[in-house]
């Protein structure tokens, strides 16, 4: 299983510092939506060249103007870009085509997406489907149960990621379950006394 660390709501300098610090410990470094909005893609374009191990994800949360945003995102060296499941089907199809053409990846953010929409959009073979518990929600996420439910309903989806308050206990349950490709962790790593040690502990939990 892959470990993705989500860096968000910090300065650009702090984000770059954290990315370099965690590069060897995680598989994917996510530069969150706040960083993209605060600083823009061009400010992030040299990040990939500074990393030696991890893939780079820019959390664009694209919902329209998909081709433009994805072409720009890949042009500044992102490996993975995100699109909202709430987008029009045409938008999802067009950004998927861009990702395939560029030999890159896309993650469909399923935040607050109901089954009526989901049945229409689970046919992108190489896409990552991201179960996402909103940052603003006050209820707690049962990660393993959410993945199990999604897998039962959509067994054709082979690539599942999950985010939203993931702790070590959740990580261990997801690893034992074996249905998730990528576990996304934010504050449990970034706000730890020793982020490197915390990332290492999560990586061990996912084995």
């Amino acid at each position: 299983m892959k470990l993705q660390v989500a860096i968000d709501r910090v300065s650009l300098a702090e984000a770059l510092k954290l990315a370099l610090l965690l590069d060897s410990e995680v598989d994917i470094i996510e530069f969150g939506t706040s960083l993209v909005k605060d600083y823009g893609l061009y400010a992030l374009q040299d990040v990939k060249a500074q990393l030696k191990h991890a893939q780079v994800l820019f959390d664009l949360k694209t919902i329209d103007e998909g081709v433009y945003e994805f072409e720009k995102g890949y042009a500044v060296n992102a490996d993975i870009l995100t699109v909202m499941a709430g987008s029009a089907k045409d938008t999802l199809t067009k950004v998927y085509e861009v990702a395939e053409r560029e030999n890159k990846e896309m993650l469909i953010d399923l935040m607050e997406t109901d089954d009526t929409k989901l049945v229409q959009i689970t046919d992108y073979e190489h896409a990552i489907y991201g179960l996402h518990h909103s940052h603003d929600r006050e209820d707690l996420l049962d990660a393993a149960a959410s993945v199990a439910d999604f897998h039962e309903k959509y067994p054709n989806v082979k690539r599942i990621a999950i985010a939203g308050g993931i702790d070590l206990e959740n990580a261990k349950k997801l690893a034992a379950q074996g249905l998730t490709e990528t576990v996304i962790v934010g504050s449990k790593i970034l706000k730890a006394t020793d982020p490197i040690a915390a990332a290492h502990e999560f990586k061990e939990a996912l084995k």
Side-chain angles (χ1 to χ4, degrees):
M1 295 174 71
K2 295 179 181 180
L3 175 60
Q4 177 174 318
V5 63
I7 303 174
D8 228 334
R9 297 177 295 280
V10 296
S11 69
L12 180 58
E14 182 66 13
L16 294 173
K17 177 182 175 181
L18 287 166
L20 293 172
L21 187 70
L22 295 168
D23 179 28
S24 62
E25 293 293 337
V26 304
D27 302 293
I28 303 167
I29 293 175
E30 170 189 334
F31 290 82
T33 312
S34 69
L35 288 165
V36 176
K37 287 184 175 182
D38 287 347
Y39 300 102
L41 288 173
Y42 289 114
L44 298 168
Q45 65 183 328
D46 296 326
V47 169
K48 178 67 175 177
Q50 299 179 55
L51 302 179
K52 296 181 179 179
H53 169 69
Q55 289 183 292
V56 171
L57 180 148
F58 293 155
D59 191 11
L60 298 183
K61 288 188 170 67
T62 289
I63 198 155
D64 195 14
E65 299 284 350
V67 171
Y68 179 86
E69 292 191 2
F70 264 52
E71 286 180 345
K72 288 291 186 181
Y74 292 138
V76 294
N77 305 312
D79 297 300
I80 309 167
L81 297 172
T82 66
V83 60
M84 299 304 293
S87 303
K89 173 70 171 177
D90 286 345
T91 298
L92 290 163
T93 297
K94 288 175 181 178
V95 296
Y96 183 70
E97 289 171 351
V98 175
E100 292 285 281
R101 184 183 73 228
E102 298 295 328
N103 196 28
K104 302 276 191 170
E105 297 182 271
M106 84 170 190
L107 185 150
I108 303 174
D109 188 326
L110 303 179
M111 186 189 296
E112 300 297 318
T113 305
D114 61 24
D115 289 327
T116 301
K117 182 61 180 287
L118 278 169
V119 297
Q120 304 172 28
I121 64 169
T122 54
D123 54 343
Y124 301 106
E125 181 182 1
H126 300 134
I128 305 162
Y129 287 78
L131 301 175
H132 190 174
H133 197 69
S134 168
H135 182 270
D136 290 339
R137 285 179 61 168
E138 296 183 2
D139 57 322
L140 298 176
L141 170 70
D142 186 335
S146 295
V147 170
D149 180 64
F150 182 80
H151 178 71
E152 182 178 358
K153 291 177 179 176
Y154 310 103
N156 59 306
V157 173
K158 304 305 181 187
R159 307 184 70 189
I160 299 173
I162 188 161
I166 304 294
D167 57 18
L168 276 172
E169 182 180 353
N170 279 318
K172 290 174 182 177
K173 288 180 180 178
L174 290 165
Q177 185 182 54
L179 298 174
T180 306
E181 177 178 309
T182 304
V183 173
I184 304 169
V185 181
S187 60
K188 292 294 189 296
I189 290 176
L190 300 180
K191 293 184 179 180
T193 303
D194 185 340
I196 294 178
H200 183 75
E201 195 170 9
F202 269 97
K203 193 65 177 172
E204 288 296 309
L206 295 176
K207 287 184 176 179

